Amino acid sequence: MNIDFDRSKIVKEIHIRWADYGASAKGRLIAGKEVKSPLDIPNEESVSVITVGSQVSAISLRIEGDMARVIDYTVIYNDSSLRELNSVNYDFSLPYYNKQEMFKWSENIGDRYLVLLFFGTWCSSCHERLPVVSKLAEKYPYVNFVAVSAGNSGPDVIQEMFDTLEVNLECIVDPEYNVCAQLNVIGVPEIKIFDLDGNLVKEGNLKEPELVEFLDSIDRNERSEVGEPLEDFTLEYYDNEDTYTLSENVGEKNTLLLFFTTWCTVCRLEIPAISEKAHEFTEKTRIIAVAAGEKKEDVKTFFKEKGIDLECLVDTDYKLIKQLGLTAVPQQILLDVKGNVIFNDNKSHEEIFHILGNL
């Protein structure tokens, strides 16, 4: 991470405020060509004071490991009355490897969590991690996954790597390692996760179990709570132009919403299984499938192919998915007669039948 400061002045000290990150870490500050004393970063919110005492052209911070995060820092000049307080700036722009467009960090914050996977085409561990993350991108379509190629690998090299590994991710390139330095990427593979407000909430050489656990926690933390009314929404049916509005349909029966996609392997098994026995529960519960990010024609084809007989709405632009904070499919939300959430989870059709049978 690069430190912003006035290069015309002599820097006396840098005060760095660390977030409470749950574990201790190591770091170092580089002022010009001089490496300052190693930093012992405690596992709680704290401040490190590093003496510089000279006029330099560049100051950067390097964190060893993945368990530390900077909240902000203060630059104090030789005249102690002069100081600057800086929040960490994550904003950047990088080109895509395969199209004449720029990826802008600021334009990708707000709608979805952003996962950046930094990799090198020469890195064997990256060859293992990229396919894993690519598959997770399919499982969590409401999280924005972007690969970042560190170094000057050309587009042909990246494309060959992606083809060989069957990776289907958007990819941008950081040929001069500028963004790597800005975001304190010390080695690859490295993952940085930003929340809806642009805060860096998770980082490090995250392997699949840890990454899945975190992605699932996003869903749990942001979904509607049990006992609370579900936010109102309106969607079109997949087979006509009519619309369904939740608030106009509560009051008579419970409502089970089944969120799915036509390409999700689990969904392709669970939705037909639920459809097969849905008629046994319609006296008390209205069962409605919700196709996430799907076109009507694709849903029609899927329903015909699998012989599915369910009401179905289409959330083509993920508007409802984002509204409810869902990040993975399949997902089910069961509402009581008043529209309050009974459960909001990913359950098997057997578990769903058991719950519906006891209503």
Side-chain angles (χ1 to χ4, degrees):
M1 184 185 80
N2 295 324
I3 301 292
D4 291 328
F5 67 101
D6 188 340
R7 288 162 178 76
S8 67
K9 300 174 183 177
I10 295 176
V11 176
K12 180 181 179 181
E13 294 174 343
I14 305 287
H15 293 203
I16 300 172
R17 186 159 64 104
W18 305 98
D20 182 351
Y21 216 65
S24 58
K26 297 285 186 180
R28 63 188 189 277
L29 189 91
I30 303 172
K33 296 182 179 180
E34 183 181 358
V35 178
K36 297 299 177 179
S37 300
L39 302 174
D40 291 317
I41 306 166
N43 61 348
E44 58 188 11
E45 185 171 327
S46 59
V47 176
S48 295
V49 178
I50 305 103
T51 301
V52 178
S54 60
Q55 186 173 353
V56 293
S57 60
I59 301 176
S60 62
L61 176 67
R62 296 290 182 266
I63 301 171
E64 300 168 6
D66 60 358
M67 297 304 292
R69 181 163 64 88
V70 175
I71 298 175
D72 54 38
Y73 58 87
T74 304
V75 180
I76 301 178
Y77 300 102
N78 229 28
D79 179 351
S80 58
S81 64
L82 298 175
R83 62 177 61 198
E84 296 177 354
L85 179 65
N86 301 74
S87 59
V88 178
N89 178 23
Y90 298 119
D91 198 13
F92 67 86
S93 297
L94 285 176
Y96 289 92
Y97 85 100
N98 58 349
K99 52 186 176 181
Q100 299 297 316
E101 296 179 18
M102 296 292 290
F103 172 93
K104 297 181 180 180
W105 180 88
S106 58
E107 294 179 359
N108 284 271
I109 295 298
D111 289 335
R112 296 185 287 173
Y113 273 65
L114 173 63
V115 175
L116 299 178
L117 168 59
F118 290 82
F119 74 96
T121 57
W122 36 264
C123 163
S124 58
S125 296
C126 300
H127 282 243
E128 297 174 359
R129 196 66 48 80
L130 273 164
V132 170
V133 173
S134 182
K135 290 180 180 178
L136 290 178
E138 295 180 2
K139 181 180 179 182
Y140 301 91
Y142 323 117
V143 176
N144 188 13
F145 290 82
V146 179
V148 185
S149 175
N152 58 359
S153 296
D156 292 342
V157 175
I158 296 173
Q159 188 63 59
E160 181 180 359
M161 178 182 183
F162 277 31
D163 289 343
T164 301
L165 300 176
E166 298 182 350
V167 171
N168 183 24
L169 290 172
E170 284 196 324
C171 179
I172 55 181
V173 291
D174 184 20
E176 303 296 329
Y177 298 98
N178 291 328
V179 173
C180 287
Q182 178 183 342
L183 299 187
N184 193 41
V185 176
I186 298 174
V188 291
E190 172 92 1
I191 289 176
K192 306 282 185 181
I193 304 178
F194 298 89
D195 66 13
L196 303 182
D197 297 318
N199 299 310
L200 181 61
V201 293
K202 188 75 172 176
E203 60 182 328
N205 182 7
L206 307 178
K207 295 180 174 61
E208 183 176 8
E210 187 177 3
L211 185 54
V212 167
E213 181 181 5
F214 181 80
L215 294 172
D216 285 342
S217 75
I218 296 173
D219 190 10
R220 288 195 298 271
N221 291 338
E222 301 212 348
R223 68 178 63 165
S224 300
E225 295 294 333
V226 171
E228 295 181 354
L230 193 69
E231 294 182 55
D232 198 19
F233 66 87
T234 299
L235 290 176
E236 284 191 4
Y237 286 93
Y238 83 104
D239 54 352
N240 56 57
E241 301 299 320
D242 294 340
T243 59
Y244 171 94
T245 299
L246 176 64
S247 59
E248 296 175 359
N249 287 276
V250 296
E252 296 182 1
K253 295 183 179 182
N254 304 304
T255 303
L256 176 63
L257 300 174
L258 309 170
F259 293 88
F260 76 99
T261 64
T262 60
W263 44 262
C264 162
T265 303
V266 177
C267 302
R268 293 180 68 86
L269 297 173
E270 289 294 313
I271 296 297
I274 293 172
S275 173
E276 188 175 346
K277 288 193 174 184
H279 65 277
E280 298 180 14
F281 307 99
T282 53
E283 182 179 346
K284 292 184 177 180
T285 304
R286 185 174 180 179
I287 300 176
I288 304 174
V290 182
E294 299 280 0
K295 297 178 181 178
K296 290 186 176 183
E297 289 304 317
D298 293 335
V299 178
K300 290 177 184 177
T301 300
F302 173 59
F303 272 38
K304 183 177 180 180
E305 174 191 338
K306 297 293 184 179
I308 297 169
D309 183 20
L310 290 173
E311 284 188 83
C312 182
L313 311 174
V314 286
D315 185 19
T316 304
D317 57 1
Y318 298 112
K319 183 178 180 180
L320 179 59
I321 293 296
K322 295 174 184 176
Q323 176 182 323
L324 300 181
L326 305 184
T327 58
V329 289
Q331 181 82 10
Q332 306 89 32
I333 300 179
L334 178 61
L335 309 176
D336 64 18
V337 175
K338 296 181 180 180
N340 297 317
V341 177
I342 297 176
F343 77 75
N344 184 352
D345 209 341
N346 174 15
K347 298 183 181 294
S348 68
H349 63 274
E350 293 95 343
E351 292 175 304
I352 291 172
F353 294 153
H354 177 74
I355 293 171
L356 295 182
N358 286 290
L359 291 177

